[in-house]
């Protein structure tokens, strides 16, 4: 079981290529002086316990204090004492994977694909859960590169904020982003705009011009998968002279059911509704049933992902290769651990799966 409190679970053993002696991490260490936690606390004007919490229990510290302490950690090149001993070794023997596992079953499928390869290669994988892809980056991710406990990191579906990305790079922690943009790290992605266009073309070709869209609500302001997917969808529908009405939903079937009511109760009810992912599409199906609407005769419904929920609901959807994205990300990361430093972008294919709801 994956603990939603950002704890770790070692699921298989890792024998990784070494990363060097690590003595060039941080200017103070390179100069022969090991910075102490007391110096960090004094410079940041906080207590020693606060510094400890920032590094080990970051959710207990306010964002402003956390950022101030981490800035001092970066400035001084601080390495916790236990981890400093391991810097001369050939690596810690593990990689980390962070994703919103408990919020989206799709990331468990990505993890499954990764673990299939990890098992064959006898790799240790440490799993970190983050609440939601719609929220800002995790405080655990912010402090992770300081510890030196990992040889490499895979971040799935989460935006890596600029300050955190810089820290990962400066601390020389090889990192791969999955389903997220990054100017610094290798990526494994799908073409979300293309996936949105594929869904739009399917509905357009069936004559739909008045279309609804259930978009997952996001807190942080960035061009997420959801925004890209909607943009591609809108491009096709608008190009055919149609119009897309968007409603926002939290990440649950019940929330999507309520959000879809806003669309389906309109006098100019859409003839089709697209949802950002399959669980939200199931909420649309329930809202249609609540109103006695026939699917697809009165309203067509589409999702995105093609998980078990889509199969159970006989839902038309766009399939993305979850297991392949996980295994590919691990292969890319192992390439970096083996000395391949060039940033790469791997784009995986999506395809339409037509079922009874359209």
């Amino acid at each position: 079981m994956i603990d939603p409190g950002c704890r770790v679970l070692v699921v298989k053993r890792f024998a990784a290529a070494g990363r060097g002696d690590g003595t060039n991490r941080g200017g103070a260490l390179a100069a022969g002086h090991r910075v102490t936690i007391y110096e960090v606390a004094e410079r940041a004007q906080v207590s020693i316990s606060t510094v400890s919490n920032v590094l080990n229990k970051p959710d207990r510290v306010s964002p402003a204090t956390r950022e101030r302490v981490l800035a001092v950690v970066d400035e001084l090149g601080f390495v916790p004492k236990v981890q400093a001993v391991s810097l001369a070794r050939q690596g810690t023997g593990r990689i980390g994977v962070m994703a919103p596992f408990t919020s989206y079953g799709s990331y468990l499928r990505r993890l499954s694909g990764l673990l299939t390869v990890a098992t064959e290669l006898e790799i240790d994988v440490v799993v970190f859960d983050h609440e939601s892809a719609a929220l800002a980056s995790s405080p655990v991710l912010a402090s992770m590169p300081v510890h030196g406990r990992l040889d490499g990191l895979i971040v799935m579906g989460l935006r890596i904020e600029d300050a955190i990305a810089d820290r990962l790079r400066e601390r020389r922690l090889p990192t791969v982003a999955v389903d997220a943009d990054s100017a610094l790290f290798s990526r494994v992605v799908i073409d979300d705009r293309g996936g949105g266009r594929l869904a739009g073309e399917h509905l357009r070709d069936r004559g739909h011009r008045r279309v609804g869209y259930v978009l997952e609500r996001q807190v942080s302001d960035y061009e997420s998968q959801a925004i890209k997917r909607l943009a591609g969808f809108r491009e096709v529908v608008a190009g055919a002279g149609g119009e897309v009405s968007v409603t926002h939903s939290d990440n649950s079937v019940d929330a999507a059911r309520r959000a879809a009511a806003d669309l389906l109760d309109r006098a100019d009810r859409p003839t089709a509704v697209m949802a950002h992912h399959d669980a939200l599409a199931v909420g649309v199906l329930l809202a249609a049933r609540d109103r006695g609407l026939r699917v697809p005769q009165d309203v067509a419904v589409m999702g995105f992902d093609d998980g078990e929920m889509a199969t159970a609901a006989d839902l038309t959807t766009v399939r993305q290769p979850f297991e392949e994205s996980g295994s590919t990300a691990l292969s890319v990361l192992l390439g970096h651990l083996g000395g391949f430093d060039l940033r790469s972008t791997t784009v995986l294919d999506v395809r339409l799966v037509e079922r009874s709801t359209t």
Side-chain angles (χ1 to χ4, degrees):
M1 179 177 178
I2 298 172
D3 184 350
C6 286
R7 299 295 186 260
V8 299
L9 170 69
V10 178
V11 293
K12 195 61 188 169
R13 186 168 146 169
F14 179 47
R19 187 176 55 217
D21 65 9
T23 55
N24 57 353
R25 291 187 185 189
L29 186 61
H33 169 68
R34 188 178 68 80
V35 176
T36 68
I37 193 171
Y38 300 96
E39 292 173 85
V40 174
E42 181 180 2
R43 179 72 65 89
Q45 297 184 327
V46 297
S47 67
I48 295 171
S49 62
T50 297
V51 176
S52 178
N53 281 335
V54 166
L55 298 178
N56 299 292
K57 300 175 182 178
D59 55 317
R60 296 187 179 182
V61 184
S62 71
T65 300
R66 192 166 62 233
E67 290 174 10
R68 187 168 76 253
V69 171
L70 287 173
V72 172
V73 165
D74 291 339
E75 177 187 352
L76 299 180
F78 172 71
V79 177
K81 184 176 181 180
V82 174
Q83 281 70 49
V85 176
S86 71
L87 288 180
R89 298 177 183 173
Q90 288 296 310
T92 65
R94 64 185 65 90
I95 65 168
V97 182
M98 173 171 277
F101 293 112
T102 52
S103 297
Y104 304 89
S106 59
Y107 288 103
L108 290 173
R109 290 180 58 188
R110 289 184 172 91
L111 180 62
S112 175
L114 184 152
L115 293 180
T116 297
V117 177
T119 299
E120 296 173 356
L121 299 178
E122 296 187 344
I123 291 176
D124 258 357
V125 180
V126 186
V127 179
F128 301 84
D129 184 52
H130 180 56
E131 182 180 356
S132 172
L135 302 178
S137 295
S138 164
V140 172
L141 180 59
S143 62
M144 192 180 298
V146 177
H147 293 296
R149 295 170 181 166
L150 302 171
D151 287 325
L153 176 66
I154 295 173
V155 180
M156 298 182 174
L158 303 172
R159 178 192 177 206
I160 305 176
E161 296 170 358
D162 292 344
I164 297 174
D166 288 340
R167 185 173 299 116
L168 289 167
R169 182 178 61 176
E170 289 167 4
R171 296 278 173 155
R172 299 190 177 184
L173 182 63
T175 301
V176 175
V178 178
D179 286 333
D181 285 335
S182 175
L184 298 180
F185 307 122
S186 290
R187 301 185 304 145
V188 178
V189 297
I190 63 167
D191 181 357
D192 278 290
R193 287 180 182 271
R197 286 194 295 268
L198 187 63
E201 289 164 359
H202 179 71
L203 295 178
R204 177 201 64 191
D205 293 346
R206 277 146 189 78
H208 298 286
R209 298 294 182 271
R210 194 169 65 251
V211 182
Y213 199 105
V214 179
L215 182 70
E216 183 179 354
R217 183 176 289 108
Q218 66 182 50
V219 176
S220 50
D221 183 20
Y222 71 105
E223 192 180 29
S224 64
Q225 286 178 285
I227 298 301
K228 293 177 182 178
R229 204 170 292 171
L230 172 60
F233 185 86
R234 265 183 164 152
E235 177 184 316
V236 171
V237 175
E243 182 180 355
V244 179
S245 299
V246 179
T247 187
H248 293 81
S249 170
D250 291 331
N251 179 39
S252 72
V253 172
D254 286 341
R257 189 178 192 171
R258 294 190 296 270
D262 174 63
L263 296 171
L264 299 180
D265 287 340
R266 297 179 182 181
D268 57 344
R269 183 182 70 231
T271 63
V273 177
M274 171 69 184
H276 172 58
H277 59 72
D278 293 338
L280 303 186
V282 169
V284 178
L285 290 173
L286 292 175
R289 187 187 68 180
D290 293 341
R291 287 153 180 77
L293 298 175
R294 299 169 300 163
V295 176
Q297 294 90 338
D298 298 323
V299 60
V301 180
M302 278 193 71
F304 203 105
D305 284 347
D306 195 33
E308 292 182 355
M309 192 174 293
T311 302
D314 203 28
L315 177 70
T316 295
T317 188
V318 176
R319 175 180 295 167
Q320 58 172 314
F322 293 121
E323 288 81 6
E324 183 183 353
S325 71
S327 61
T328 300
L330 179 57
S331 296
V332 172
L333 181 61
L334 292 178
H336 289 312
L337 292 176
F340 181 77
D341 292 331
L342 294 178
R343 177 179 176 269
S344 64
T345 297
T346 304
V347 182
L348 303 178
D349 291 332
V350 297
R351 68 180 182 88
L352 180 77
V353 179
E354 184 175 0
R355 297 193 178 99
S356 67
T357 58
T358 57

